[in-house]
Amino acid sequence: RKEVEQDPGPFNVPEGATVAFNCTYSNSASQSFFWYRQDCRKEPKLLMSVYSSGNEDGRFTAQLNRASQYISLLIRDSKLSDSATYLCVVNVISGNTPLVFGKGTRLSVIA
Amino acid sequence: GAVVSQHPSRVICKSGTSVKIECRSLDFQATTMFWYRQFPKQSLMLMATSNEGSKATYEQGVEKDKFLINHASLTLSTLTVTSAHPEDSSFYICSATPGAGLDYGYTFGSGTRLTVV
């Protein structure tokens, strides 16, 4: 079983749509969780950290369920500029341990 | 915010030659940097953890004699791909964090696209 698994995608949605991505992780000792965005042939960039209480940043909402080892990302009112690959990322211990990446879910927002 | 500078961004080399990739933390000290590799349509895979002043820790299946890592200062780590072969063609990317804790996240270099011909 892979450490971090995501919906494979691709997700093709019209502008203005709401889209949700799911992710599960296998290591119950994981302590920090992130969603990164990666544009084609570019480095990943932090979209948001994910907390147990859930957090929202504008049109983006992230949720974490530790009991189910499940992470989600909701994007509301999709924009063309949201088209990218979204990476679910987990870390066992924050700081000097490497991140573990999911394979990513590709989103294409269509006009 | 924390910035990690990586270069070159793109390199094409002949089989059998060596390529050095540099990764610098510009506004923070990074005692640890991570080197990843990403093949097309695949996730980032950790190659090694680079520790300042000590030997790197390599992931299983990564040849330490082929991928030489040097982390001589708190702001610079280098990855040298020695005797490169076409199958080494990939996107190499480094990462570091300015501190421990959830809110720092990890900053990535802009990546190096290596093509071995």
Side-chain angles (χ1 to χ4, degrees), chain A residues 31-32 34 36 38 41-44 49 51 91 94-99 101-103, chain B residues 32 34 36 38 41-44 46 91 93 97 100-103 106 108-110 113:
Chain A
Q31 294 191 21
S32 49
F34 310 93
Y36 275 75
Q38 186 175 26
R41 304 174 81 86
K42 299 285 188 181
E43 77 275 20
S49 301
Y51 307 115
N91 196 8
S94 299
N96 291 335
T97 55
L99 299 175
F101 288 83
K103 199 171 179 177
Chain B
T32 304
F34 306 103
Y36 293 86
Q38 185 178 33
K41 299 186 179 181
Q42 299 294 316
S43 62
L44 277 77
L46 180 69
F91 187 56
I93 190 164
T97 178
L102 289 173
D103 293 333
Y106 288 65
F108 287 83
S110 54
R113 192 159 299 279

Side-chain angles (χ1 to χ4, degrees), chain B residues 84-96:
Chain B
H85 289 108
E87 57 264 32
D88 296 326
S89 299
S90 187
F91 187 56
Y92 293 84
I93 190 164
C94 63
S95 171

Side-chain angles (χ1 to χ4, degrees), chain B residues 31-107:
Chain B
T31 55
T32 304
M33 288 190 179
F34 306 103
W35 286 95
Y36 293 86
R37 178 168 56 181
Q38 185 178 33
F39 292 106
K41 299 186 179 181
Q42 299 294 316
S43 62
L44 277 77
M45 297 300 295
L46 180 69
M47 297 177 66
T49 300
S50 170
N51 301 298
E52 186 268 335
S54 64
K55 291 183 179 180
T57 304
Y58 290 82
E59 294 300 297
Q60 190 174 9
V62 178
E63 300 175 56
K64 63 179 181 180
D65 294 330
K66 179 172 182 63
F67 299 98
L68 302 179
I69 291 174
N70 186 291
H71 195 155
S73 76
L74 287 171
T75 58
L76 175 63
S77 176
T78 61
L79 167 68
T80 301
V81 183
T82 62
S83 187
H85 289 108
E87 57 264 32
D88 296 326
S89 299
S90 187
F91 187 56
Y92 293 84
I93 190 164
C94 63
S95 171
T97 178
L102 289 173
D103 293 333
Y104 285 102
Y106 288 65
T107 301

